[in-house]
Amino acid sequence: MKTRTFILILAATMLASCSSTPTTVSKPAQSSGERYTVKPRPVPTVTASNEFNPATVDVSTVEQWLLDAKDMDPEESAELLLRAAEVLLREGELARADDVVGELISPELSTDQALRLAIIRARVQRGHAEFSQALAQLSDPLIEKAVIEAPVRQQMQYSQLRASLYEIEGDHLSAARERIFIDPLLTPSQQPANRQSIWGSLMQIPTSVLISNINSTNNRDYIGWLELASIAKDNQNDIDAQVRQRDTWLRNWPNHPAHNNLPGGLDKLNDLIVERPDQVALILPVTGRLAAYGKAIRDGFFAAYYETLNQGGNVPQINQYDSNGADINALYQEVLNSGNKLVIGPLEKESLSALVASHPSSINVPTLALNRIDGDRFPNGLYQFGLNPEDEAEQIADIAMAKGFSRALILTPEGSWGQKVAGAFAQRWQSLNGKIVASQTFDASKNNYSQQIKSVLQIDRSQQRLQKLQQIIGIHPSYEPYRRTDIDFIFLLARPNEGRAIKPLLAYHYAGDIPVYATSHIYRGNDSANKDQDINGVRFIDIPWIFNNKSALRKDINAGIPSSQGYQRMYALGVDSFRLHLRLKQLRNGASGQVFGETGTLTLNELGQIERELALAEIQDGIAVVNPVGATGPIESNDF
């Protein structure tokens, strides 16, 4: 889409937006199969009868093994110690399992024993949240060589353990590769769950990374998975193009493991085409106090509309309505009388509440509201889609738990907004069996957070103890205050200026080593290295649109609208509202019905609310660096 064209289009859409009379944008006239053989790891000749399986052993046997190991030669002793540790791990006794094999040294063991020792130690380290150390155990060249000759059960245990560690560390490409690696070794009953995990990992990877790795290996299964995943994540704005790519893939990969059971709703794309609406109503406030937000959403919507049109895609007729000051139910009836088959909007919460109150059980046509209201039951046909900070708080809880944290400190601004977001985080965190050790609010208007931080870190208690000691001994001893030690990480809800003040204060008060996880509110959405140096190390989540500086769509919007910088998230909401109108049925397919939008990976919950999974980033040298770091470039060529 050319910038000049885009500017003219935006100007045209503004002309008749000041009343409830619709502005119509009419739809213009529309202008190798390959067979292959998978090369899995060689399957060894060890049979089930001579392979030790800790799942079948009585735990009481462990004590006798430990006694017997003291009187045996080194190789036999090592075997009993390994068996004892494997059974102890089964029972959840990580510390004792680690102690049992503490004296064993890999180079002094047989190849099989060295592999088992690495798996034991990696499992212990994973249990202690030492994920990088666990991966290092499994990535030793001696161990990687040993696994090739290992029994099938150990190959699967090794790869599944390594895949889980890669996922925790954010290297989803390597996680998928490990599971693709073992798929041919699994039984038919085991393969569906494994392939679902493969797909889940691939869906976490940017399309550009998927494409860049397609030629990185000779393994045909791996290439096929990457191609299929890139098809699922590409062409979110053009179902027809996606169907063509999918059908080409099916012809080219007739023997691929995913051929007969396409994941991610790819098998249902044709249904979306059949049910595509030919008239869509866009209800937004383009006058009044919310006009700036409504116009930004509208501009993002039409940017996506014309991108699809210019690429030869099929687009509906769009009828625009201004919701400012309107009776939403009367306006909604006007929308229906005009023949619209789908509604996007309203944006205002009060309008959405009024619409729901008038339609308690079902709504007349599919309606994608651009906000979310509280409640536990909503009419059929209503989809609620908004940039809710509560979603972000819940995702941070999930991320922190996956990282092995268990004790959280909450820092949020005073007021109902901070209280609501903190409540969402606390509810999810505690549902995951996490513990909240303390919660502290701060007054954002005073820009003085030191005392609150000092208090919640219990620095003041340390200083009070010093004063008492001075009173007792009568001298001033050498002393350095210390903070509480029962915090694994900090959940921070703060805007940019607040975050830039709070993060240095954490370091000043001896808490600079505690990981800090924040919502998107801490980041303005553009690089500001000098200012954001103060939040170095903060990890936060944000929408993909913010991190995709190479997006042609984003570049066109920024070039066409000089004041665009402050409304980037609204543009992304508008882009996704256009793309979602094609895929509402896809969302109803549960976890497999993901839509990959500019506002996140989108799924639908049981209330008809669209939930977003955002990208994780870290501020490094004042610049936001998107994770995972392990999935930023092609892997080295190998045949698995």
Side-chain angles (χ1 to χ4, degrees):
M1 181 175 62
K2 300 297 185 182
T3 298
R4 179 180 298 176
T5 302
F6 179 65
I7 296 171
L8 291 174
I9 290 163
L10 292 182
T13 62
M14 297 179 188
L15 293 179
S17 300
C18 297
S19 71
S20 63
T21 303
T23 302
T24 298
V25 180
S26 299
K27 177 176 69 174
Q30 293 297 314
S31 43
S32 61
E34 181 175 2
R35 300 186 66 84
Y36 60 92
T37 302
V38 177
K39 289 180 61 179
R41 291 190 183 102
V43 179
T45 57
V46 178
T47 63
S49 59
N50 60 14
E51 180 191 347
F52 172 67
N53 185 354
T56 63
V57 176
D58 192 314
V59 68
S60 62
T61 312
V62 168
E63 304 304 329
Q64 186 61 49
W65 284 344
L66 296 177
L67 289 173
D68 294 344
K70 297 177 181 179
D71 302 321
M72 292 184 171
D73 63 58
E75 184 174 353
E76 292 176 324
S77 175
E79 177 62 29
L80 288 185
L81 293 176
L82 290 169
R83 292 187 178 194
E86 288 168 338
V87 175
L88 289 170
L89 282 177
R90 184 197 72 190
E91 297 298 308
E93 297 187 40
L94 273 67
R96 193 170 182 216
D98 191 30
D99 185 60
V100 164
V101 297
E103 301 298 321
L104 298 182
I105 302 174
S106 294
E108 297 177 357
L109 304 177
S110 67
T111 302
D112 170 72
Q113 290 176 337
L115 172 61
R116 290 163 62 195
L117 177 61
I119 292 174
I120 290 168
R121 286 179 171 159
R123 290 176 64 188
V124 170
Q125 288 165 332
R126 183 181 64 175
H128 293 150
E130 298 169 347
F131 306 118
S132 59
Q133 296 93 321
L135 274 172
Q137 287 281 350
L138 302 178
S139 301
D140 183 280
L142 173 67
I143 304 307
E144 290 185 327
K145 182 178 179 181
V147 75
I148 295 175
E149 303 298 332
V152 171
R153 186 184 60 81
Q154 280 189 358
Q155 287 192 25
M156 291 190 296
Q157 184 183 31
Y158 170 88
S159 285
Q160 288 168 342
L161 176 58
R162 201 151 81 148
S164 71
L165 291 166
Y166 279 132
E167 285 178 345
I168 292 169
E169 290 292 276
D171 189 351
H172 298 287
L173 185 62
S174 294
R177 189 154 43 97
E178 284 295 325
R179 291 197 168 98
I180 294 169
F181 197 93
I182 62 170
D183 194 73
L185 306 180
L186 301 175
T187 65
S189 63
Q190 294 170 325
Q191 285 175 334
N194 186 62
R195 291 169 187 176
Q196 185 176 357
S197 295
I198 291 170
W199 192 250
S201 291
L202 292 175
M203 292 300 97
Q204 301 294 321
I205 302 169
T207 307
S208 59
V209 176
L210 292 170
I211 293 172
S212 67
N213 277 278
I214 285 175
N215 296 320
S216 65
T217 177
N218 293 325
N219 184 278
R220 301 300 297 163
D221 272 3
Y222 182 73
I223 295 171
W225 277 113
L226 293 187
E227 286 189 4
L228 188 62
S230 67
I231 291 169
K233 301 195 75 173
D234 199 12
N235 284 311
Q236 294 294 288
N237 62 327
D238 190 347
I239 295 177
D240 299 277
Q242 195 174 33
V243 167
R244 291 192 295 270
Q245 287 184 335
R246 180 205 63 185
D247 292 346
T248 299
W249 186 92
L250 288 170
R251 290 192 298 271
N252 290 343
W253 298 92
N255 299 320
H256 191 274
H259 183 277
N260 294 327
N261 189 16
L262 288 173
L266 289 172
D267 56 334
K268 297 180 174 63
L269 293 179
N270 298 76
D271 295 340
L272 303 181
I273 293 177
V274 172
E275 298 178 5
R276 180 164 46 200
D278 58 359
Q279 279 196 72
V280 173
L282 183 62
I283 303 176
L284 289 170
V286 292
T287 60
R289 65 182 181 87
L290 296 178
Y293 299 101
K295 290 177 180 178
I297 295 170
R298 177 202 62 191
D299 294 344
F301 180 94
F302 279 106
Y305 175 98
Y306 282 100
E307 178 190 53
T308 301
L309 184 63
N310 291 342
Q311 293 174 353
N314 195 302
V315 294
Q317 173 180 303
I318 307 298
N319 300 317
Q320 296 183 76
Y321 301 81
D322 184 4
S323 60
N324 178 51
D327 179 329
I328 189 61
N329 287 299
L331 179 59
Y332 193 76
Q333 189 58 50
E334 179 185 341
V335 164
L336 299 184
N337 294 341
S338 298
N340 292 285
K341 302 300 190 299
L342 186 143
V343 177
I344 298 176
L347 174 65
E348 305 93 329
K349 278 195 172 185
E350 56 270 23
S351 294
L352 178 55
S353 297
L355 192 63
V356 169
S358 298
H359 301 79
S361 58
S362 64
I363 211 155
N364 302 75
V365 298
T367 298
L368 177 65
L370 299 180
N371 212 323
R372 185 190 296 183
I373 57 176
D374 295 332
D376 54 13
R377 186 176 181 182
F378 298 101
N380 293 329
L382 175 67
Y383 302 84
Q384 298 181 61
F385 178 38
L387 306 184
N388 293 67
E390 295 91 330
D391 290 346
E392 300 183 25
E394 292 172 356
Q395 186 181 340
I396 289 174
D398 294 338
I399 291 171
M401 184 57 64
K403 292 293 289 182
F405 300 140
S406 61
R407 301 169 300 181
L409 167 65
I410 302 175
L411 287 177
T412 56
E414 294 177 356
S416 59
W417 178 68
Q419 183 179 15
K420 189 172 184 179
V421 178
F425 170 82
Q427 184 175 359
R428 175 63 68 88
W429 182 245
Q430 290 170 330
S431 74
L432 298 171
N433 296 319
K435 180 182 179 182
I436 298 171
V437 297
S439 182
Q440 179 67 54
T441 61
F442 54 85
D443 186 347
S445 65
K446 293 183 179 179
N447 195 27
N448 182 8
Y449 318 111
S450 183
Q451 186 55 48
Q452 292 98 324
I453 292 172
K454 187 177 178 180
S455 175
V456 76
L457 293 174
Q458 299 181 350
I459 302 294
D460 50 355
R461 293 188 186 182
S462 175
Q463 292 173 333
Q464 290 168 6
R465 286 190 291 270
L466 171 63
Q467 292 172 359
K468 289 182 180 180
L469 179 61
Q470 289 174 341
Q471 292 172 357
I472 293 171
I473 65 177
I475 61 174
H476 297 278
S478 176
Y479 166 80
E480 181 176 295
Y482 58 90
R483 62 166 175 83
R484 64 192 304 163
T485 58
D486 58 348
I487 303 169
D488 293 331
F489 79 104
I490 295 171
F491 169 61
L492 176 62
L493 178 65
R495 297 175 179 86
N497 289 339
E498 298 160 3
R500 292 165 185 164
I502 290 172
K503 184 61 167 65
L505 283 172
L506 290 171
Y508 179 77
H509 290 303
Y510 310 98
D513 59 332
I514 301 178
V516 176
Y517 285 76
T519 62
S520 63
H521 305 86
I522 202 167
Y523 185 60
R524 288 200 185 281
N526 57 290
D527 290 341
S528 183
N530 291 335
K531 293 181 178 179
D532 286 340
Q533 290 280 353
D534 288 335
I535 54 173
N536 276 343
V538 171
R539 288 196 160 197
F540 69 100
I541 54 177
D542 212 330
I543 62 175
W545 176 272
I546 292 296
F547 301 123
N548 189 6
N549 292 322
K550 296 181 180 179
S551 166
L553 202 58
R554 183 177 173 184
K555 287 180 179 178
D556 282 337
I557 288 176
N558 291 343
I561 307 174
S563 61
S564 63
Q565 198 56 54
Y567 298 96
Q568 291 298 321
R569 294 178 177 87
M570 294 296 103
Y571 296 127
L573 182 61
V575 170
D576 279 357
S577 67
F578 171 77
R579 293 176 178 173
L580 274 175
H581 91 272
L582 302 165
R583 299 179 181 272
L584 292 177
K585 183 175 181 179
Q586 183 177 339
L587 286 173
R588 295 202 297 267
N589 292 325
S592 66
Q594 295 173 318
V595 173
F596 303 96
E598 300 293 351
T599 59
T601 299
L602 310 177
T603 55
L604 192 71
N605 66 24
E606 66 279 2
L607 294 177
Q609 298 168 328
I610 295 171
E611 297 181 342
R612 303 173 299 125
E613 182 176 346
L614 307 187
L616 179 66
E618 181 178 339
I619 300 296
Q620 299 177 3
D621 296 325
I623 301 297
V625 178
V626 182
N627 291 329
V629 295
T632 55
I635 60 172
E636 294 182 3
S637 177
N638 67 69
D639 291 332
F640 292 168

